[in-house]
Amino acid sequence: MTDILIKNGFVITMEGSGAGVIEKGAVAVKGSVIEDVGPTDELEKKYRAHRVFDAEGKAVMPGLIDAHIHTSLALLRGIAQDTNNWLQKGIGPFKPHFTKDEIVKGSMMNILEGIKAGTTTFCDYDNPMTEIAENYLRIGARARIASMINELPPDLHKLEIGELYPFDASCGENMLMENIKLIEEWHGRGNGRITCVFGPQGPDMLSRELLLEIKHLAEKYDTKIYLHVAQGDREIDQMIKRYGKRSVEFLDEIGYLNERLVAIHLTEATKEEAQLMAKRGASMVHCPGSIGIIDGLVPPVLEFLDAGGTAALGSDQAPGNNCSNMFNEMKFAAILNKVKMGDPTVMPAWKVMRMATIEGAKAIGLENEIGSLRPGKKADIIIVNMSEPGLCPVITRPVRNIVPNLVYSARGHEVETVIIDGNIVMENRKVLTVNEKEVIYRAQKAAEGLALRAGEDFVNSGTKTVEMMEKGYL
Amino acid sequence: MTDILIKNGFVITMEGSGAGVIEKGAVAVKGSVIEDVGPTDELEKKYRAHRVFDAEGKAVMPGLIDAHIHTSLALLRGIAQDTNNWLQKGIGPFKPHFTKDEIVKGSMMNILEGIKAGTTTFCDYDNPMTEIAENYLRIGARARIASMINELPPDLHKLEIGELYPFDASCGENMLMENIKLIEEWHGRGNGRITCVFGPQGPDMLSRELLLEIKHLAEKYDTKIYLHVAQGDREIDQMIKRYGKRSVEFLDEIGYLNERLVAIHLTEATKEEAQLMAKRGASMVHCPGSIGIIDGLVPPVLEFLDAGGTAALGSDQAPGNNCSNMFNEMKFAAILNKVKMGDPTVMPAWKVMRMATIEGAKAIGLENEIGSLRPGKKADIIIVNMSEPGLCPVITRPVRNIVPNLVYSARGHEVETVIIDGNIVMENRKVLTVNEKEVIYRAQKAAEGLALRAGEDFVNSGTKTVEMMEKGYL
């Protein structure tokens, strides 16, 4: 007797070099693990299950991996787009006003949003991460988390644009202690759903000494390191002012470029820098929607992949994207790279789907656990209704149009069922582990309080959003 | 007694120069027309209604305008992306195999998709348009339609790439007769919901003589003309081979560049050509998702707008986009233009929302009927649930985040209610005018038949999609 049998679906295994589709396929789940994957007629003979999902006319695929998200910022959705100097002037004025309670309530709403769009693994990176981790534990998601470390002053938004950030070493040590505590207390919790890594914020945001200390600790704890790298011209400007060199060269010199590094964004990385990162074995997280909105740029992911690198996709955050939906990221990854190259053949659908699943898993170091449907891997599975009008018709001969339609037309709401670690977290679009209305209500109330307190600082920041509001455009 | 009162919503009127929001606003509808728009407390005193919608926490806005769509192609969704020579080799092999019945069944599915994502007006352009018009009449949508006119041979996909198309004058005359018949029999039907214009396919696809004949007829019938202009390098190549000049110069010489022209795409138009079109008073339809996928390009809409032109948004078609969803087009219009310019401030949310509503209405010549919520205009209204996690929180002070979140995060499924011409066409996401399951089922069966018949031609066309299928990527 097995626990779950999903049958008759278009099973997109993501095994092999493409999508690895099995038509009229089945997946058997025992406990938290995938027990078997194959044709329905074979699996139906081998297994009886407590729970059977008939996925006829539906796609069955690995849960999507959001390899970079700051759920901490969710309450700021919609207040910081169409503007310059996003970090300092867009979200900066709000950050000092956030309470822990508000961050945690916003985070839960953001995780709920992701799950309802088929995300099962979240690589979250901010503070307070232990409280955010509680959200993941409670809602039943998989999370690979880091407590963010920097040495920045809280009033960054008051600095002139281009002014060198002053570092506060005691702040950095406290944040490092938080990250160590997170790893020691949280790594492996929730039947291994929660794993922890180190999270220095960016090469420009903490001292060389602290970066080196984190590097040694990551070796000691044998974890990955999340690091924003070349995330904007702001960072490059800071690096040149402080060290006389750009981020990638600096990181290479201090021994950061290796397979331990999950390099996030590379927005301002040159082709040569992207190639060097790939050669050194660092992985890359590509956040096309966010970087498109915040910077109006397309990161050099094609160059990185061509140099043999492994890349994942991330949604980044709600203010400036403004959604956490991997279907959005897949479509943008495909089209933005086509447009960058002026070539409709680059970044085909199957390739971006791999970035959101198996390649994403490799990039974050979880390829033995998740990212494809294979016996022995964790049962992180989504079932997608292909009879929504935007995903019809389903054609299987002479070509199968399922993967292209999932990438270019699915919006996320077609995901009906989400299974994480063998547990049914969403069924018929209803998340079973939290009260959805309550999550939304709490986030809404928290945002109202925050907006009230931060309002004046925001209005005084002089961002374009404020100007648009004053002109009656919004 | 009025018919419908929608109250307590965030009413996005699209009046004035921005979004024209009325918080806690209301809209009264009498028959097919908007009777009043204003604060809820005022309208509640003035009107009693047969039907009241409480839109608390919801956005109430004009129905979206899809200013360019070929619903005829819907059955080919997902078979022609990530490839070169889209027209000839991507969809070309299928076109001769289509039966009228299949086209009409696919079209209905495509219209259903649009309505469920908040589109109320469809500018459809293909054949057989009288049968497609029946779909619009039946489902209750507004449509501004043209029967497509060309002089092309049916086996275009068999021509070498770059070979000058032979023209077939008798084919052109027949198609023109169809367009005239459409105008005479259909213009104004469905209480004026259906309006008709002329639809020559492209300056390269019919002779100068036929283009001139259509121009005179459009003056006689006083209609607009839909025309693909500079839609790809293929077209420019044909024009230079045939006339020794590019499309825009040719069209200017034959007197096509004026306010009668709705110029679609302008993909390959230079900045100067886009400016000339705007100066001459032609309007532009910008299809960012489709052109991003098919050509890997971003049309010069910013240059066109800067020169004073009026632009609309369109979804184009299911094979190569692959969706008909104006929320998708709004987000892509914003981000693709930011990326093209390397500037996050261009194409702000409120501006793209105007393109999908009031500016779109101007571009197609229906600004007195639709595009904004104003007493006397047609009651084409959508109600959007803002408590979906991806649209939360809703902040109104110090800035209102509703319009940015609708543009950058809404996916279409948040649209709860669709009212067209005063009729409730969708309520609680259920379309009331057709049997949704039956529409999907019929389209699916039609696609299976078509794929079977066209399969061999498609496989022999040598497109990349076939290669990807053979390699097991799809």
Side-chain angles (χ1 to χ4, degrees):
Chain A
M1 200 79 178
T2 196
D3 290 317
I4 298 172
L5 181 68
I6 306 166
K7 63 180 191 179
N8 294 325
F10 299 103
V11 176
I12 305 172
T13 65
M14 302 313 290
E15 286 284 303
S17 52
V21 174
I22 304 171
E23 287 180 20
K24 230 174 156 43
V27 184
V29 174
K30 177 98 178 171
S32 63
V33 174
I34 296 173
E35 191 172 13
D36 208 347
V37 180
T40 294
D41 50 10
E42 279 181 26
L43 266 66
E44 269 192 322
K45 279 179 208 150
K46 281 166 75 176
Y47 304 97
R48 285 186 54 222
H50 293 293
R51 185 65 204 277
V52 177
F53 287 88
D54 190 339
E56 193 174 347
K58 297 175 187 180
V60 179
M61 60 182 291
L64 301 172
I65 298 169
D66 190 336
H68 183 60
I69 186 167
H70 305 286
T71 63
S72 53
L73 296 175
L75 295 188
L76 305 183
R77 191 195 308 273
I79 61 101
Q81 60 289 306
D82 305 329
T83 186
N84 284 317
N85 303 309
W86 178 88
L87 182 76
Q88 268 184 264
K89 304 296 179 185
I91 64 164
F94 281 92
K95 289 209 77 173
H97 293 282
F98 257 119
T99 65
K100 260 193 195 186
D101 179 64
E102 286 162 357
I103 291 174
V104 173
K105 284 173 175 164
S107 159
M108 190 57 128
M109 174 191 73
N110 210 185
I111 299 166
L112 179 64
E113 177 192 2
I115 288 177
K116 294 198 82 168
T119 303
T120 54
T121 296
F122 298 79
C123 295
D124 206 336
Y125 174 29
D126 211 330
N127 303 104
M129 194 45 73
T130 47
E131 286 81 352
I132 292 174
E134 294 280 2
N135 282 344
Y136 287 111
L137 199 63
R138 186 170 147 226
I139 205 166
R142 191 173 303 282
R144 192 148 173 84
I145 53 182
S147 186
M148 197 179 261
I149 306 164
N150 65 47
E151 297 182 287
L152 299 175
D155 52 357
L156 199 63
H157 64 287
K158 291 185 180 158
L159 263 58
E160 290 295 313
I161 298 296
E163 197 180 335
L164 198 64
Y165 310 150
F167 284 159
D168 176 347
S170 72
C171 154
E173 274 306 313
N174 287 337
M175 292 177 98
L176 175 59
M177 287 306 117
E178 280 295 311
N179 202 156
I180 292 172
K181 198 172 150 218
L182 180 80
I183 294 173
E184 294 197 337
E185 293 180 4
W186 278 86
H187 189 77
R189 284 185 66 180
N191 193 36
R193 273 196 288 116
I194 313 292
T195 54
C196 304
V197 308
F198 279 97
Q201 189 172 354
D204 59 324
M205 291 179 171
L206 58 167
S207 64
R208 187 199 319 240
E209 294 66 36
L210 189 52
L211 279 166
L212 285 170
E213 191 179 347
I214 293 167
K215 177 176 174 287
H216 295 307
L217 285 164
E219 287 160 9
K220 181 183 150 194
Y221 284 94
D222 194 19
T223 69
K224 296 262 182 190
I225 298 173
Y226 292 162
L227 184 69
H228 294 118
V229 178
Q231 72 170 319
D233 51 3
R234 179 194 48 68
E235 175 189 317
I236 305 294
D237 178 55
Q238 292 278 324
M239 293 302 288
I240 287 174
K241 281 180 179 148
R242 198 180 299 274
Y243 302 110
K245 59 194 66 166
R246 294 166 56 88
S247 306
V248 173
E249 185 187 352
F250 170 83
L251 289 171
D252 199 23
E253 278 182 17
I254 66 166
Y256 252 71
L257 303 192
N258 55 49
E259 65 294 327
R260 217 173 273 290
L261 181 67
V262 180
I264 297 152
H265 296 321
L266 299 186
T267 314
E268 292 282 342
T270 64
K271 184 178 169 180
E272 292 70 26
E273 288 172 339
Q275 287 167 337
L276 178 69
M277 305 278 293
K279 217 176 88 184
R280 294 274 193 267
S283 61
M284 169 179 179
V285 185
H286 174 225
C287 303
S290 162
I291 300 304
I293 292 182
I294 293 176
D295 296 302
L297 295 170
V298 184
V301 67
L302 288 167
E303 293 86 340
F304 183 83
L305 292 174
D306 283 347
T310 303
L313 283 173
S315 71
D316 211 356
Q317 74 277 302
N321 193 351
N322 297 346
C323 56
S324 301
N325 181 321
M326 298 311 294
F327 287 98
N328 179 79
E329 298 320 308
M330 287 196 288
K331 186 163 187 178
F332 272 96
I335 298 189
L336 287 177
N337 283 290
K338 289 180 196 309
V339 159
K340 185 179 182 183
M341 297 296 158
D343 180 354
T345 68
V346 303
M347 276 286 178
W350 63 273
K351 203 174 256 188
V352 294
M353 188 176 277
R354 289 183 67 85
M355 279 205 285
T357 54
I358 184 62
E359 297 298 323
K362 286 179 198 164
I364 61 170
L366 288 182
E367 69 272 28
N368 293 324
E369 286 81 31
I370 58 170
S372 67
L373 302 182
R374 193 176 73 194
K377 281 199 178 185
K378 295 290 183 183
D380 289 7
I381 305 165
I382 62 175
I383 305 176
V384 187
N385 177 13
M386 299 296 294
S387 64
E388 283 281 326
L391 298 180
C392 282
V394 174
I395 297 171
T396 54
R397 308 277 177 284
V399 292
R400 213 181 279 123
N401 67 352
I402 298 169
V403 169
N405 285 342
L406 286 171
V407 168
Y408 291 115
S409 187
R411 333 293 308 160
H413 72 281
E414 304 88 345
V415 177
E416 278 184 350
T417 302
V418 174
I419 297 170
I420 305 175
D421 211 46
N423 298 310
I424 301 165
V425 172
M426 183 172 85
E427 190 172 351
N428 290 327
R429 292 213 52 68
K430 186 173 158 44
V431 172
L432 307 173
T433 46
V434 295
N435 180 325
E436 292 186 48
K437 280 199 175 157
E438 196 179 282
V439 168
I440 299 296
Y441 179 81
R442 286 181 178 178
Q444 177 63 33
K445 289 296 149 196
E448 288 169 11
L450 173 67
L452 205 63
R453 293 196 312 280
E456 197 181 329
D457 276 4
F458 188 60
V459 169
N460 293 336
S461 73
T463 61
K464 285 230 171 212
T465 324
V466 172
E467 190 190 316
M468 286 185 257
M469 184 70 183
E470 282 165 358
K471 286 187 175 164
Y473 294 161
L474 296 182
Chain B
M1 201 76 178
T2 195
D3 290 317
I4 297 173
L5 181 67
I6 306 167
K7 64 180 189 178
N8 295 324
F10 299 104
V11 176
I12 305 173
T13 65
M14 303 313 293
E15 285 285 300
S17 53
V21 173
I22 304 171
E23 288 180 19
K24 232 176 153 41
V27 184
V29 174
K30 178 99 179 168
S32 64
V33 173
I34 295 173
E35 191 172 14
D36 207 347
V37 181
T40 294
D41 49 9
E42 280 181 25
L43 266 67
E44 269 193 321
K45 279 178 207 149
K46 282 167 75 177
Y47 302 99
R48 284 186 55 220
H50 292 292
R51 186 65 205 274
V52 177
F53 287 88
D54 191 338
E56 193 175 345
K58 296 174 187 180
V60 179
M61 59 182 292
L64 301 172
I65 298 169
D66 190 337
H68 182 61
I69 186 168
H70 305 286
T71 63
S72 54
L73 297 175
L75 295 188
L76 304 183
R77 190 195 308 273
I79 61 99
Q81 60 289 307
D82 306 328
T83 186
N84 284 315
N85 303 309
W86 178 87
L87 182 76
Q88 267 184 264
K89 304 296 179 186
I91 64 165
F94 282 91
K95 288 208 79 173
H97 294 281
F98 258 119
T99 66
K100 262 194 196 186
D101 179 63
E102 286 162 355
I103 290 174
V104 173
K105 284 175 176 162
S107 159
M108 191 56 128
M109 174 190 73
N110 210 186
I111 300 165
L112 179 65
E113 177 192 1
I115 289 177
K116 294 199 81 168
T119 302
T120 54
T121 296
F122 299 78
C123 295
D124 206 336
Y125 173 31
D126 211 331
N127 303 103
M129 194 46 73
T130 47
E131 285 81 353
I132 292 174
E134 294 280 2
N135 282 343
Y136 287 111
L137 200 64
R138 184 167 149 229
I139 204 166
R142 190 173 303 284
R144 193 148 173 83
I145 53 182
S147 186
M148 197 178 263
I149 306 164
N150 65 48
E151 297 181 289
L152 299 176
D155 52 356
L156 199 62
H157 64 287
K158 291 186 180 157
L159 263 58
E160 289 294 311
I161 299 296
E163 195 178 338
L164 199 65
Y165 310 150
F167 284 158
D168 175 348
S170 73
C171 154
E173 275 307 314
N174 288 337
M175 291 178 100
L176 175 60
M177 287 306 119
E178 279 295 311
N179 201 155
I180 292 171
K181 195 172 153 222
L182 180 80
I183 293 172
E184 296 197 336
E185 293 180 4
W186 278 86
H187 189 76
R189 284 185 64 180
N191 193 38
R193 273 195 288 117
I194 313 292
T195 55
C196 304
V197 307
F198 279 97
Q201 189 171 353
D204 58 324
M205 292 178 171
L206 58 168
S207 65
R208 188 199 319 243
E209 294 65 37
L210 189 52
L211 278 165
L212 285 169
E213 190 180 350
I214 293 167
K215 178 175 173 286
H216 295 308
L217 285 164
E219 287 159 7
K220 179 183 152 196
Y221 285 94
D222 194 19
T223 70
K224 296 261 181 189
I225 299 173
Y226 292 162
L227 183 69
H228 294 119
V229 179
Q231 71 170 320
D233 52 2
R234 178 194 48 68
E235 175 189 317
I236 304 295
D237 178 57
Q238 291 279 325
M239 294 302 289
I240 288 174
K241 282 179 178 150
R242 197 180 302 273
Y243 302 110
K245 57 193 67 164
R246 295 166 55 88
S247 306
V248 173
E249 184 186 353
F250 170 84
L251 290 170
D252 199 23
E253 279 181 19
I254 66 167
Y256 251 70
L257 302 192
N258 56 46
E259 64 295 329
R260 217 173 273 291
L261 181 66
V262 181
I264 296 153
H265 297 321
L266 300 186
T267 314
E268 291 282 342
T270 63
K271 184 178 169 179
E272 292 69 27
E273 288 171 339
Q275 288 167 338
L276 178 70
M277 305 278 294
K279 217 176 87 185
R280 294 273 194 268
S283 60
M284 169 179 178
V285 185
H286 174 223
C287 303
S290 161
I291 300 304
I293 292 182
I294 292 175
D295 295 303
L297 294 170
V298 184
V301 67
L302 287 167
E303 293 86 340
F304 183 83
L305 292 174
D306 283 347
T310 302
L313 283 174
S315 71
D316 211 358
Q317 74 277 301
N321 194 349
N322 295 347
C323 56
S324 299
N325 180 321
M326 297 312 292
F327 288 97
N328 180 78
E329 298 320 308
M330 289 197 286
K331 186 163 188 178
F332 271 97
I335 298 189
L336 286 178
N337 283 289
K338 290 180 196 307
V339 159
K340 185 179 182 183
M341 297 297 161
D343 180 353
T345 68
V346 303
M347 277 286 179
W350 63 273
K351 202 173 258 188
V352 293
M353 190 177 276
R354 288 183 68 84
M355 279 204 287
T357 55
I358 184 63
E359 298 298 323
K362 286 179 197 165
I364 61 169
L366 288 182
E367 68 272 28
N368 293 325
E369 285 81 28
I370 58 169
S372 66
L373 302 182
R374 193 175 73 195
K377 280 200 178 185
K378 295 290 183 182
D380 290 6
I381 305 166
I382 61 175
I383 306 177
V384 187
N385 176 13
M386 299 297 290
S387 64
E388 283 279 327
L391 298 180
C392 283
V394 175
I395 297 171
T396 54
R397 307 279 178 284
V399 292
R400 215 181 277 121
N401 66 353
I402 298 170
V403 169
N405 285 342
L406 285 170
V407 168
Y408 291 116
S409 187
R411 334 293 309 162
H413 72 281
E414 304 88 344
V415 177
E416 278 184 351
T417 302
V418 174
I419 297 170
I420 305 174
D421 212 47
N423 298 310
I424 301 165
V425 172
M426 182 173 84
E427 191 173 350
N428 290 327
R429 291 210 56 66
K430 187 174 158 47
V431 172
L432 306 173
T433 46
V434 295
N435 179 328
E436 293 186 48
K437 279 197 176 159
E438 195 178 282
V439 169
I440 299 297
Y441 179 81
R442 286 182 178 176
Q444 176 63 33
K445 290 294 150 199
E448 288 169 11
L450 174 66
L452 205 63
R453 294 197 311 281
E456 196 181 330
D457 276 4
F458 188 61
V459 169
N460 293 336
S461 73
T463 61
K464 284 229 171 215
T465 325
V466 172
E467 191 190 315
M468 286 185 257
M469 184 70 183
E470 283 166 358
K471 286 187 175 165
Y473 295 161
L474 298 180

